[in-house]
Structure formats: C-alpha cells, structure tokens
Amino acid sequence: MKIVLLPGDGIGPEIASATMAVLEAASRRFALGLDFMPDIAGHESLRRHGATVTPALLEKVRQADGLILGPMATYDFKDESKGEINPSKFFRKALDLYANVRPARTYPGVPSKVGAFDLVVVRENTEGFYADRNIESGSSEMLITPDVVISLRRITRHCCERVARAACELAMTRRRRLTIVHKANVLKLGDGMFIQICREVASHYPDLVVDDCIVDAMMAHVVRNPARFDVIVTTNMFGDILSDLTAELSGSLGLGGSLNAGDLHAMAQAAHGSAPDIAGMNMANPCALILSASQLLASHGKRQGLESFLKAAAAIDSAVVDAISQGQATSDVGGKLGTEATGQALAHRVLDAS
Ligand code: NAD
C-alpha cells in the first residue's frame, strides 16, 4: 500500500512522526508492506513551491493508495491567487472524497463529562455551506455591498444519496441505528430533500432503525445522552460542528480521528487543527491522526479484501484504548507522556499485538 504522508503545519510534524512509528510497527507486525511517500503541504510548501499544494502533489496522491494529511493552518490561507489554497478542500474536491467519517467514543480512564458512548458522525464533504467547493470556479460567498454578504449553500440529490449510502453501510456494520441531522424546519427545500433522500436510501436497509433530529436540538441530545446515537448522517457544516463537539465529549479534540472517503480515494485527517498554541512543545496528542490512519488501513483492507489490514487497524485501535486507560498518553487525556513517547508506546503495543 503506497501512502503519501503530508505532516502539515503547527503540531503536524510531531503527530505525523508518531503516526509513522505506529504504522511502521503495524506494517512489520502484520506484513502490510506499507510504502511511505513523504511530501509537503501547507506553509512549508508555500515557502518552497509558492503554493500550499501543487498539481504534482495531487498527481502523486492519485497514484497512491491513500493519503495522510496532517493538520493545516487553514485560517492563514486566504488568497488562492498567492498560492494559499486550503489543502483539505483541495484534496476533498479533487479526489471527490464525499464522506467524512468521524468516529467519537469515550475511553476507560479518560474522565468524560457525559456517560460512555460510541458513535460516528458521517458528514457530507463536497457541498453544503462551503463556499470554496460549491461551484466550478470562484466562491459561492459574495460581497454584494461593503455591508452585505450572501453565502450560498448547495444541496444535490447525487451528493445526498452517496453520503446516505455510506452512512447506511456503516450503520449495518455497527448497532444498526441511523440518525439524520438537519434543519428542515428552516431550510425546508435543501434539508427537506436531504431527509427525504436519506430515508429513501435507508429504506433499502430494512434492518436499520432510522430517526431524525433538528440540528440545534441535536446539540442538547448529544450532550445529555450520547449513548443513544450510533451513526449520524448530516450535511457539511452541521457535521463539521457536531463532530468537534462529539470529539471533545469523548475527552479531547486530540482523540478525534476521521477518514475522508470517496469511491476511488481516501484521506486520513485528524478532526483538529494545527494547534499553534502547543506546536513544538512535544505535548500534542497524536491519537487523532493515528486513529485516522487506522481508518485508512481498514478502508484499504475492505476495498481490497485484505484481512491483514483489518487486523492491523483493530490492533491500532486496541493499542490506543489500552494505552490511554493505563495513562500511557499525553496530558490532555490524563497521561504524562509527550507526543513522541506516546507514539513509541503505541508502536510497542502494536508490535506485541496477537
Ligand atoms: P485547533 O483544533 O488547532 O485547536 C483548538 C484547541 O485544541 C487548542 O487549544 C489546541 O491546543 C487543542 N488541540 C488541538 N489538537 C490537539 C491535539 N492533538 N492534542 C492536544 N490538544 C489539541 O483549532 P484552532 O486553534 O482554532 O485552529 C488552528 C489552525 O488550524 C487554524 O489555522 C485553523 O483554520 C486550522 N484548522 C485546520 C483543520 C484541519 O486541517 N482539518 C481543522 C480545524 C482547524
């Protein structure tokens, strides 16, 4: 499996290095034959190539079997004409990565403000309120006068159907519950269509229990009783916000892994950003990127029918649970280790996995 690894900005190089250590251990233990193709994106690429991402990099990623994208300082990248392209958007759009799969669960040993839970947010990734991916060229956010802005939101049958199918397939491998999150009381046409299509797609999975919830009420439900949710499917911006909440409820944003999946490509990416406040301090939690990389291995295993990749992903996930519960983790989840030592501890556990 050829994997392009882009460490990214801020804490990116630290957590990417810990992730490499764990993946190398998994490759050795499960004979995966992982072939890493490190490259650069974000600020370093802007300095060296004049753009945060380049066409040559995209071509390299297209030829690979997977991409690990470290956190990017997206907020710094404001002007595409100066090469300041949002790398997340770039890959999601160019590789048509339509489903952003963001698991969140509590961990034994990590204090949680809510009870135990284990859920997945499946967020539509290619349209919605995101002005940079709704239209072929330019932005769907317009300055009408100095005091008036209009932001357009795109919802299409095609994108609703495919993200709904991804969520249903996932729910069938879990507890078979699907919750559709929307704002159809206000966005009657767009979210009305989203619910209708999700229900149509879900009707082909008769074993699924399906309900729906308005997004504002959902914020209360997920804080009050997250255990009642299994797979949640929602549009782009609602999913972005909701999944940060669920990651934080699980104990730390540093535990929020995610996979951006399309029909041909997949990109592992932590839910958090470049955390400039703790960059270079060896205290960032690498688990979000490591768990994202585990999702990438599992998705490759499923696509290619390779049991060894599924076993490796399960071993990484167990290593994270066990290490955290025994305090072999960073301070945000109650441990005393730095980023590098956390990566090493996880790598040893994966090498010893049965
Ligand atoms: P952030 O997610 O980087 O950080 C928010 C808070 O969580 C900070 O206190 C940070 O220290 C903490 N945190 C984040 N990741 C952590 C980890 N692995 N371990 C321990 N603590 C962690 O959000 P921000 O500060 O608002 O954004 C910083 C930059 O990241 C901005 O440029 C933003 O646009 C960008 N961003 C990128 C992505 C992405 O690449 N997917 C996502 C969100 C934000």
Side-chain angles (χ1 to χ4, degrees):
M1 181 187 188
K2 288 195 173 94
I3 299 179
V4 176
L5 176 67
L6 305 173
D9 300 312
I11 58 172
E14 297 161 75
I15 62 172
S17 159
T19 302
M20 272 279 281
V22 174
L23 288 180
E24 274 168 353
S27 188
R28 227 176 313 148
R29 169 65 189 82
F30 295 94
L32 304 180
L34 298 185
D35 179 5
F36 294 103
M37 303 157 79
D39 212 312
I40 52 170
H43 273 299
E44 197 182 345
S45 177
L46 190 61
R47 268 195 305 277
R48 281 165 54 179
H49 303 312
T52 51
V53 278
T54 61
L57 176 61
L58 177 60
E59 199 40 46
K60 187 172 178 177
V61 171
R62 281 193 201 283
Q63 301 304 323
D65 302 299
L67 167 63
I68 299 177
L69 181 68
M72 296 289 153
T74 322
Y75 195 61
D76 298 348
F77 308 142
K78 297 193 167 70
D79 188 348
E80 291 210 349
S81 70
K82 294 182 182 153
E84 297 172 2
I85 300 157
N86 171 356
S88 291
K89 178 267 313 199
F90 177 76
F91 289 116
R92 287 171 182 174
K93 199 169 169 180
L95 303 175
D96 203 19
L97 305 174
Y98 57 82
N100 189 196
V101 182
R102 295 184 159 193
R105 49 158 295 175
T106 43
Y107 289 81
V110 180
S112 157
K113 296 178 192 73
V114 293
F117 69 91
D118 179 351
L119 57 79
V120 184
V121 176
V122 179
R123 159 195 177 196
E124 203 291 322
N125 222 9
T126 53
E127 56 175 12
F129 251 131
Y130 286 70
D132 55 3
R133 65 205 70 169
N134 269 340
I135 55 178
E136 186 62 32
S137 164
S139 165
S140 61
E141 190 167 48
M142 289 154 283
L143 190 63
I144 306 299
T145 75
D147 301 319
V148 179
V149 172
I150 293 184
S151 309
L152 296 176
R153 173 177 184 260
R154 189 184 73 174
I155 301 289
T156 59
R157 172 169 287 277
H158 173 61
C159 293
C160 296
E161 271 174 2
R162 60 188 188 170
V163 76
R165 203 170 307 115
C168 289
E169 291 288 334
L170 178 65
M172 289 300 291
T173 67
R174 293 174 46 94
R175 301 194 307 278
R176 302 185 174 190
R177 288 197 65 97
L178 180 72
T179 302
I180 306 160
V181 171
H182 61 88
K183 186 78 186 171
N185 51 334
V186 174
L187 297 163
K188 291 186 174 30
L189 298 179
D191 274 11
M193 185 167 84
F194 181 72
I195 297 183
Q196 182 208 331
I197 292 172
C198 286
R199 286 202 176 270
E200 267 169 37
V201 170
S203 71
H204 297 287
Y205 300 81
D207 292 341
L208 280 187
V209 176
V210 183
D211 62 0
D212 66 75
C213 190
I214 293 175
V215 66
D216 35 344
M218 184 68 184
M219 298 298 146
H221 287 304
V222 94
V223 170
R224 193 183 305 147
N225 183 16
R228 75 178 251 206
F229 299 106
D230 179 18
V231 174
I232 298 163
V233 64
T234 189
T235 51
N236 201 341
M237 189 170 284
F238 297 158
D240 193 4
I241 298 165
L242 177 60
S243 59
D244 265 30
L245 175 63
T246 52
E248 186 60 32
L249 289 177
S250 78
S252 167
L253 204 47
L255 294 172
S258 91
L259 188 73
N260 298 266
D263 291 330
L264 300 176
H265 301 278
M267 172 173 89
Q269 181 185 29
H272 60 73
S274 58
D277 52 336
I278 56 168
M281 297 165 76
N282 192 32
M283 63 183 285
N285 188 344
C287 288
L289 196 60
I290 290 168
L291 290 167
S292 309
S294 163
Q295 283 184 267
L296 183 65
L297 296 186
S299 113
H300 185 72
K302 270 183 217 140
R303 278 173 211 248
Q304 304 291 329
L306 295 169
E307 191 64 27
S308 54
F309 280 75
L310 299 175
K311 283 188 179 156
I316 293 172
D317 295 352
S318 300
V320 170
V321 174
D322 295 346
I324 289 178
S325 68
Q326 289 170 29
Q328 276 190 316
T330 44
S331 57
D332 57 312
V333 288
K336 291 196 172 76
L337 299 185
T339 310
E340 193 185 342
T342 301
Q344 291 303 331
L346 292 171
H348 283 125
R349 283 176 185 274
V350 170
L351 274 177
D352 290 343
S354 53

Tab-separated table of all heavy atoms in Angstrom, residues 11 71-75 88 253-254 269 271-278 284-285 332, ligand 1:
chain	number	residue	atom	x	y	z
A	11	ILE	N	1.483	21.555	15.022
A	11	ILE	CA	1.831	20.272	15.661
A	11	ILE	C	1.952	19.135	14.634
A	11	ILE	O	2.300	18.005	15.008
A	11	ILE	CB	0.761	19.863	16.716
A	11	ILE	CG1	-0.637	19.745	16.067
A	11	ILE	CG2	0.754	20.830	17.878
A	11	ILE	CD1	-1.702	19.153	16.993
A	71	PRO	N	-2.541	18.218	10.109
A	71	PRO	CA	-3.360	19.425	10.282
A	71	PRO	C	-2.745	20.625	9.564
A	71	PRO	O	-1.528	20.772	9.525
A	71	PRO	CB	-3.343	19.634	11.797
A	71	PRO	CG	-2.151	18.905	12.285
A	71	PRO	CD	-1.915	17.751	11.359
A	72	MET	N	-3.594	21.435	8.998
A	72	MET	CA	-3.141	22.590	8.222
A	72	MET	C	-3.561	23.890	8.905
A	72	MET	O	-4.639	23.954	9.504
A	72	MET	CB	-3.785	22.557	6.829
A	72	MET	CG	-3.369	21.361	6.019
A	72	MET	SD	-1.643	21.494	5.506
A	72	MET	CE	-1.212	19.780	5.338
A	73	ALA	N	-2.743	24.922	8.754
A	73	ALA	CA	-3.071	26.236	9.323
A	73	ALA	C	-4.033	26.951	8.375
A	73	ALA	O	-3.754	28.044	7.865
A	73	ALA	CB	-1.795	27.043	9.518
A	74	THR	N	-5.186	26.356	8.159
A	74	THR	CA	-6.118	26.806	7.123
A	74	THR	C	-6.470	28.284	7.215
A	74	THR	O	-6.647	28.963	6.206
A	74	THR	CB	-7.432	25.990	7.234
A	74	THR	OG1	-7.093	24.648	7.562
A	74	THR	CG2	-8.214	26.018	5.957
A	75	TYR	N	-6.578	28.752	8.452
A	75	TYR	CA	-7.012	30.135	8.656
A	75	TYR	C	-6.007	31.126	8.059
A	75	TYR	O	-6.358	32.247	7.708
A	75	TYR	CB	-7.220	30.396	10.156
A	75	TYR	CG	-8.002	31.648	10.437
A	75	TYR	CD1	-9.310	31.790	9.976
A	75	TYR	CD2	-7.434	32.702	11.154
A	75	TYR	CE1	-10.028	32.942	10.222
A	75	TYR	CE2	-8.151	33.861	11.403
A	75	TYR	CZ	-9.441	33.975	10.933
A	75	TYR	OH	-10.151	35.116	11.164
A	88	SER	N	-7.158	20.911	2.699
A	88	SER	CA	-8.276	19.985	2.963
A	88	SER	C	-9.278	20.051	1.834
A	88	SER	O	-9.687	19.042	1.264
A	88	SER	CB	-9.055	20.398	4.210
A	88	SER	OG	-8.329	20.209	5.325
A	253	LEU	N	-10.183	16.873	21.952
A	253	LEU	CA	-10.158	17.037	20.500
A	253	LEU	C	-9.029	16.185	19.911
A	253	LEU	O	-9.087	15.751	18.761
A	253	LEU	CB	-9.927	18.525	20.190
A	253	LEU	CG	-10.384	19.098	18.857
A	253	LEU	CD1	-11.790	18.681	18.499
A	253	LEU	CD2	-10.255	20.615	18.872
A	254	GLY	N	-8.031	15.921	20.715
A	254	GLY	CA	-6.880	15.123	20.279
A	254	GLY	C	-7.193	13.649	20.110
A	254	GLY	O	-6.300	12.850	19.814
A	269	GLN	N	-7.290	12.124	8.207
A	269	GLN	CA	-7.064	13.509	8.650
A	269	GLN	C	-7.654	13.669	10.043
A	269	GLN	O	-8.826	13.349	10.265
A	269	GLN	CB	-7.782	14.443	7.673
A	269	GLN	CG	-7.633	15.903	7.964
A	269	GLN	CD	-8.491	16.741	7.008
A	269	GLN	OE1	-9.530	16.287	6.525
A	269	GLN	NE2	-8.053	17.955	6.754
A	271	ALA	N	-9.439	15.412	13.165
A	271	ALA	CA	-10.522	16.409	13.148
A	271	ALA	C	-10.028	17.780	13.623
A	271	ALA	O	-10.591	18.810	13.266
A	271	ALA	CB	-11.670	15.931	14.029
A	272	HIS	N	-8.945	17.783	14.409
A	272	HIS	CA	-8.464	19.054	14.959
A	272	HIS	C	-7.577	19.804	13.970
A	272	HIS	O	-7.218	19.278	12.915
A	272	HIS	CB	-7.709	18.808	16.270
A	272	HIS	CG	-6.498	17.915	16.117
A	272	HIS	ND1	-5.348	18.339	15.526
A	272	HIS	CD2	-6.284	16.622	16.480
A	272	HIS	CE1	-4.452	17.359	15.533
A	272	HIS	NE2	-5.010	16.300	16.094
A	273	GLY	N	-7.197	21.020	14.350
A	273	GLY	CA	-6.350	21.848	13.506
A	273	GLY	C	-4.881	21.776	13.909
A	273	GLY	O	-4.449	20.835	14.593
A	274	SER	N	-4.126	22.798	13.505
A	274	SER	CA	-2.668	22.765	13.667
A	274	SER	C	-2.215	23.173	15.064
A	274	SER	O	-1.020	23.162	15.358
A	274	SER	CB	-2.021	23.686	12.622
A	274	SER	OG	-2.529	25.007	12.774
A	275	ALA	N	-3.150	23.529	15.939
A	275	ALA	CA	-2.883	23.834	17.353
A	275	ALA	C	-1.596	24.643	17.562
A	275	ALA	O	-0.664	24.182	18.231
A	275	ALA	CB	-2.848	22.536	18.176
A	276	PRO	N	-1.512	25.855	17.002
A	276	PRO	CA	-0.265	26.625	17.114
A	276	PRO	C	0.121	26.925	18.552
A	276	PRO	O	1.305	27.108	18.866
A	276	PRO	CB	-0.574	27.917	16.345
A	276	PRO	CG	-2.054	27.980	16.192
A	276	PRO	CD	-2.557	26.566	16.242
A	277	ASP	N	-0.865	26.915	19.466
A	277	ASP	CA	-0.567	27.224	20.874
A	277	ASP	C	0.321	26.178	21.543
A	277	ASP	O	0.989	26.480	22.531
A	277	ASP	CB	-1.882	27.421	21.681
A	277	ASP	CG	-2.871	26.273	21.518
A	277	ASP	OD1	-2.810	25.558	20.498
A	277	ASP	OD2	-3.721	26.096	22.409
A	278	ILE	N	0.356	24.958	20.998
A	278	ILE	CA	1.197	23.918	21.636
A	278	ILE	C	2.216	23.330	20.653
A	278	ILE	O	2.868	22.332	20.955
A	278	ILE	CB	0.335	22.789	22.247
A	278	ILE	CG1	-0.598	22.160	21.197
A	278	ILE	CG2	-0.476	23.296	23.432
A	278	ILE	CD1	-1.258	20.857	21.671
A	284	ALA	N	1.404	17.551	22.050
A	284	ALA	CA	0.181	17.297	21.273
A	284	ALA	C	-0.160	15.812	21.314
A	284	ALA	O	0.726	14.954	21.255
A	284	ALA	CB	0.396	17.723	19.827
A	285	ASN	N	-1.422	15.528	21.408
A	285	ASN	CA	-1.896	14.144	21.398
A	285	ASN	C	-1.880	13.626	19.952
A	285	ASN	O	-2.589	14.165	19.099
A	285	ASN	CB	-3.328	14.105	21.960
A	285	ASN	CG	-3.831	12.704	22.162
A	285	ASN	OD1	-3.267	11.751	21.630
A	285	ASN	ND2	-4.881	12.571	22.946
A	332	ASP	N	-3.543	15.881	27.835
A	332	ASP	CA	-4.944	16.245	27.577
A	332	ASP	C	-5.896	15.107	27.931
A	332	ASP	O	-7.080	15.341	28.184
A	332	ASP	CB	-5.150	16.666	26.109
A	332	ASP	CG	-4.729	15.575	25.135
A	332	ASP	OD1	-3.633	15.023	25.298
A	332	ASP	OD2	-5.512	15.277	24.218
B	1	NAD	P1	-7.241	23.626	16.788
B	1	NAD	O1	-8.068	22.401	16.550
B	1	NAD	O2	-5.913	23.665	16.139
B	1	NAD	O3	-7.018	23.819	18.373
B	1	NAD	C1	-8.116	24.020	19.272
B	1	NAD	C2	-7.654	23.684	20.710
B	1	NAD	O4	-7.482	22.253	20.834
B	1	NAD	C3	-6.314	24.295	21.056
B	1	NAD	O5	-6.324	24.649	22.418
B	1	NAD	C4	-5.314	23.171	20.834
B	1	NAD	O6	-4.147	23.266	21.636
B	1	NAD	C5	-6.138	21.943	21.183
B	1	NAD	N1	-5.715	20.789	20.387
B	1	NAD	C6	-5.937	20.598	19.074
B	1	NAD	N2	-5.370	19.453	18.683
B	1	NAD	C7	-4.798	18.905	19.768
B	1	NAD	C8	-4.058	17.709	19.993
B	1	NAD	N3	-3.779	16.841	19.001
B	1	NAD	N4	-3.599	17.451	21.229
B	1	NAD	C9	-3.867	18.306	22.239
B	1	NAD	N5	-4.565	19.448	22.103
B	1	NAD	C10	-5.022	19.745	20.861
B	1	NAD	O7	-8.133	24.858	16.357
B	1	NAD	P2	-7.698	26.390	16.122
B	1	NAD	O8	-6.677	26.783	17.126
B	1	NAD	O9	-8.962	27.129	16.044
B	1	NAD	O10	-7.066	26.399	14.672
B	1	NAD	C11	-5.660	26.434	14.405
B	1	NAD	C12	-5.480	26.344	12.901
B	1	NAD	O11	-5.922	25.060	12.457
B	1	NAD	C13	-6.294	27.382	12.110
B	1	NAD	O12	-5.496	27.844	11.036
B	1	NAD	C14	-7.484	26.580	11.602
B	1	NAD	O13	-8.019	27.115	10.421
B	1	NAD	C15	-6.834	25.235	11.366
B	1	NAD	N6	-7.757	24.087	11.355
B	1	NAD	C16	-7.445	23.107	10.470
B	1	NAD	C17	-8.188	21.957	10.466
B	1	NAD	C18	-7.790	20.860	9.502
B	1	NAD	O14	-6.702	20.900	8.910
B	1	NAD	N7	-8.623	19.833	9.361
B	1	NAD	C19	-9.260	21.792	11.359
B	1	NAD	C20	-9.538	22.809	12.283
B	1	NAD	C21	-8.758	23.955	12.286
